[in-house]
Amino acid sequence: MNLEQPSQENVDFILKKITEKFKMVNASAFENMKLEQVHYDLLVELYQLISRKNSFSPREMQMFAEELSTIRKN
């Protein structure tokens, strides 16, 4: 998948992969998030960091969760 071009399909794909990787219970916070609602470049960077790791410490998961909250536009 080419993530260079912002699209709703890419946002959906990235959020799905991140929630799967973290086995997030409260993934509903990211469901139906629209392209216009996110800082796409930050989302892609975060996805790339997360996808490179096989496991996460509790602290890393907390830090990534905090970063995920910054992808929303105000």
Side-chain angles (χ1 to χ4, degrees):
M1 178 165 273
N2 180 3
L3 300 177
E4 291 181 23
Q5 294 297 323
S7 72
Q8 186 61 49
E9 181 181 7
N10 288 348
V11 169
D12 294 342
F13 171 81
I14 291 171
L15 292 174
K16 179 179 181 226
K17 291 299 182 183
I18 289 173
T19 55
E20 286 174 357
K21 188 97 173 193
F22 283 161
K23 299 172 180 65
M24 292 177 74
V25 175
N26 193 9
S28 63
F30 299 105
E31 289 179 1
N32 301 318
M33 191 177 291
K34 302 297 178 205
L35 176 62
E36 302 81 31
Q37 297 173 310
V38 299
H39 293 282
Y40 186 76
D41 55 333
L42 295 176
L43 180 61
V44 172
E45 286 179 35
L46 189 61
Y47 167 71
Q48 290 170 340
L49 285 170
I50 291 170
S51 65
R52 289 185 198 128
K53 294 189 58 80
N54 293 322
S55 62
F56 303 92
S57 70
R59 178 67 183 136
E60 287 175 316
M61 287 188 74
Q62 180 182 355
M63 288 176 13
F64 281 125
E66 289 170 6
E67 277 300 309
L68 270 173
S69 68
T70 67
I71 65 166
R72 284 189 189 268
K73 291 182 179 177
N74 291 331

